DNA sequence: CAATCATATAAGTCTGTGCTTATGTATTTG
DNA sequence: CAAATACATAAGCACAGACTTATATGATTG
């Protein structure tokens, strides 16, 4: 749940790809393996790392486990990044646009 | 310069601390070592990782090297994170407040 | 209830990372 | 110009991480 775990979890390209796929909607471990050349235990281990880091959450239903993005993890990255707001002034306009869109 | 390098660089607590110190202002490698129980080569290697990741930039003056935060790196993290904007709605209000403050 | 399915855990291997000491390379100074 | 300073690079070591196969666990199905 600390920042090292958070960034370590995201440092692996497979885990980032899994995370990105979950952004499209919750999914179980078997479906997540589609398109990855990875053993079942490897995927299970990656999911455990993402979960420990607070980036994803899981919900068991029967013998399946649904995984989904945990907003807390995203918020924590943003929180860390906000310390360095002074260093990305060029992004501010994009952000204003985004907030305007979210209001509508 | 890819995302794995970026997150790997930030996964190390020493490197995050160095990065955070540089947020207060540019500094050379010797001064950066203050407060860290770390050999000179270790610091040099950490700085190389941060530089390769695009998180810091360096400027030589004589036998010294000034290190400073590279805004591009910060922007790239934000760019990656922006894919997951939908997952941190609770932060939107804080962000609006921040933008309002930046306008003043 | 035996077989199957979805997932987790264990144990071992291989590679990568962070550290060290030793040394190299400019630059500055007395 | 020899010594000192600031930093980088090399090489080696110890540990962490990502993967594998094998096996365990718990839910479902015929």
């Amino acid at each position: 749940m600390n920042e090292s775990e958070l960034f370590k979890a995201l440092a692996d390209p497979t885990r980032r790809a899994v995370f990105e796929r979950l952004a499209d909607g919750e999914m179980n471990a078997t479906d997540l393996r589609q398109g990855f050349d990875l053993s079942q235990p490897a995927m299970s281990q990656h999911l455990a790392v993402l979960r420990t880091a607070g980036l994803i959450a899981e919900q068991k239903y029967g013998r399946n486990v649904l995984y989904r993005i945990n907003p807390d993890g995203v918020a924590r990255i943003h929180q860390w990044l906000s310390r360095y707001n002074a260093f990305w002034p060029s992004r501010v306009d994009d952000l204003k646009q985004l907030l305007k869109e979210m209001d509508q």
Side-chain angles (χ1 to χ4, degrees), chain A residues 47-101:
Chain A
L47 289 168
V49 170
L50 286 167
R51 199 186 60 79
T52 303
L55 283 162
I56 63 174
E58 61 186 47
Q59 187 178 3
K60 300 185 75 168
Y61 67 113
R63 64 186 169 189
N64 296 277
V65 182
L66 263 193
Y67 292 94
R68 62 176 185 282
I69 285 189
N70 182 354
D72 291 352
V74 184
R76 278 169 54 228
I77 304 170
H78 184 264
Q79 188 171 14
W80 180 87
L81 195 57
S82 69
R83 299 184 203 171
Y84 307 103
N85 276 335
F87 294 97
W88 44 282
S90 65
R91 295 278 158 192
V92 170
D93 289 342
D94 297 352
L95 211 51
K96 283 181 180 173
Q97 186 58 35
L98 174 74
L99 288 171
K100 196 178 287 180
E101 284 161 10

Side-chain angles (χ1 to χ4, degrees), chain A residues 2 6-9 12-13 16 22-23 26 33-35 37-40 45 54 60 67 84-85 90:
Chain A
N2 59 46
L6 193 63
F7 288 117
K8 256 185 239 177
D12 183 87
R16 281 199 311 282
L22 288 177
E26 55 190 9
R33 280 185 64 205
Q34 296 290 338
D37 185 21
L38 213 66
S39 68
Q40 177 267 319
Q45 286 158 17
K60 300 185 75 168
Y67 292 94
Y84 307 103
N85 276 335
S90 65

